[in-house]
Amino acid sequence: DAGVTQSPTHLIKTRGQQVTLRCSPISGHKSVSWYQQVLGQGPQFIFQYYEKEERGRGNFPDRFSARQFPNYSSELNVNALLLGDSALYLCASSFQTDTQYFGPGTRLTVL
Amino acid sequence: GIQVEQSPPDLILQEGANSTLRCNFSDSVNNLQWFHQNPWGQLINLFYIPSGTKQNGRLSATTVATERYSLLYISSSQTTDSGVYFCAARGRGSTLGRLYFGRGTQLTVWP
């Protein structure tokens, strides 16, 4: 079975631009979570969606938004990019409340 | 949210040595996972272990939930074990799917 997939793998943007990251969960998983990992730190929770509804939001500004589609895939959008948004963005899926499985990540560089 | 602390922050071993990584958490948990992050950023699931003991080959983990800590044991280390090891937990009552990560233990295994 395919694991969690994310696209694109790498992305370079300039300050002020907008970016959309995509995630496809493991087949049968209805929960998708997004995390941001900056260099030298552990991942930080951004959003969690379950059955297409937002179930949790971390301490991130309103420039960050997300949605989940009927096929349970998800998009993370970041507007008005700042240099500090440069990070590895990780998507995780889970069946319900148990083990979370992470995708390979999207590495975003903001210049 | 729940606080997760990992020790040691860095560990350097020679191939064949054994090691123990520790994870302390500040509150009761209903999800505790150990991950290995490879050089490309992928978080690889090692254990889902909110309590008890599990073993998988050269790796084993123990969580003592009543004392709020978990241990990851690596025996007969190999160079391929190098990377960052993360512990992540979800506290009881926390948002479904939200994991709190420690800062990780950077393991380097020399041949």
Side-chain angles (χ1 to χ4, degrees):
Chain A
D1 287 341
V4 179
T5 60
Q6 292 186 242
S7 63
T9 305
H10 294 86
L11 205 50
I12 299 175
K13 294 285 189 178
T14 56
R15 281 176 296 175
Q17 286 189 310
Q18 176 265 340
V19 68
T20 298
L21 312 180
R22 295 175 176 84
C23 171
S24 291
I26 292 170
S27 177
H29 286 189
K30 300 179 180 180
S31 171
V32 170
S33 300
W34 288 94
Y35 292 79
Q36 180 197 64
Q37 186 180 18
V38 298
L39 198 62
Q41 296 185 19
Q44 298 290 317
F45 174 80
I46 309 175
F47 284 109
Q48 196 249 343
Y49 278 77
Y50 181 73
E51 285 282 17
K52 300 177 285 294
E53 291 187 4
E54 182 183 306
R55 294 299 185 94
R57 182 184 184 115
N59 187 25
F60 281 82
D62 291 344
R63 299 185 296 107
F64 288 76
S65 63
R67 56 179 175 168
Q68 187 176 33
F69 299 98
N71 66 354
Y72 301 109
S73 67
S74 177
E75 286 183 351
L76 175 70
N77 295 283
V78 187
N79 294 322
L81 285 167
L82 304 174
L83 295 179
D85 295 330
S86 294
L88 179 67
Y89 288 85
L90 296 163
C91 172
S93 79
S94 63
F95 179 63
Q96 285 184 336
T97 63
D98 50 14
T99 308
Q100 290 200 33
Y101 297 89
F102 282 79
T106 294
R107 196 167 295 278
L108 172 64
T109 302
V110 182
L111 301 176
Chain B
I2 193 168
Q3 306 297 316
V4 178
E5 294 183 356
Q6 293 186 243
S7 60
D10 297 279
L11 191 56
I12 301 174
L13 302 171
Q14 195 157 22
E15 212 168 22
N18 302 328
S19 60
T20 301
L21 282 60
R22 187 178 179 100
C23 171
N24 293 330
F25 40 93
S26 62
D27 204 349
S28 300
V29 299
N30 54 19
N31 183 333
L32 191 291
Q33 291 185 240
W34 283 96
F35 298 92
H36 176 211
Q37 189 165 44
N38 66 23
W40 298 272
Q42 173 94 51
L43 281 171
I44 309 233
N45 282 59
L46 298 177
F47 294 102
Y48 169 79
I49 187 165
S51 64
T53 298
K54 291 186 178 180
Q55 181 159 6
N56 184 4
R58 296 182 297 104
L59 273 60
S60 63
T62 295
T63 297
V64 184
T66 54
E67 297 187 22
R68 299 181 183 171
Y69 73 89
S70 184
L71 302 174
L72 177 68
Y73 305 96
I74 305 174
S75 64
S76 303
S77 298
Q78 301 176 359
T79 56
T80 52
D81 295 331
S82 295
V84 184
Y85 289 80
F86 286 104
C87 167
R90 182 177 72 241
R92 295 185 187 281
S94 293
T95 298
L96 181 74
R98 177 173 188 165
L99 288 175
Y100 291 85
F101 282 77
R103 295 180 65 93
T105 292
Q106 173 75 57
L107 175 65
T108 304
V109 181
W110 294 94

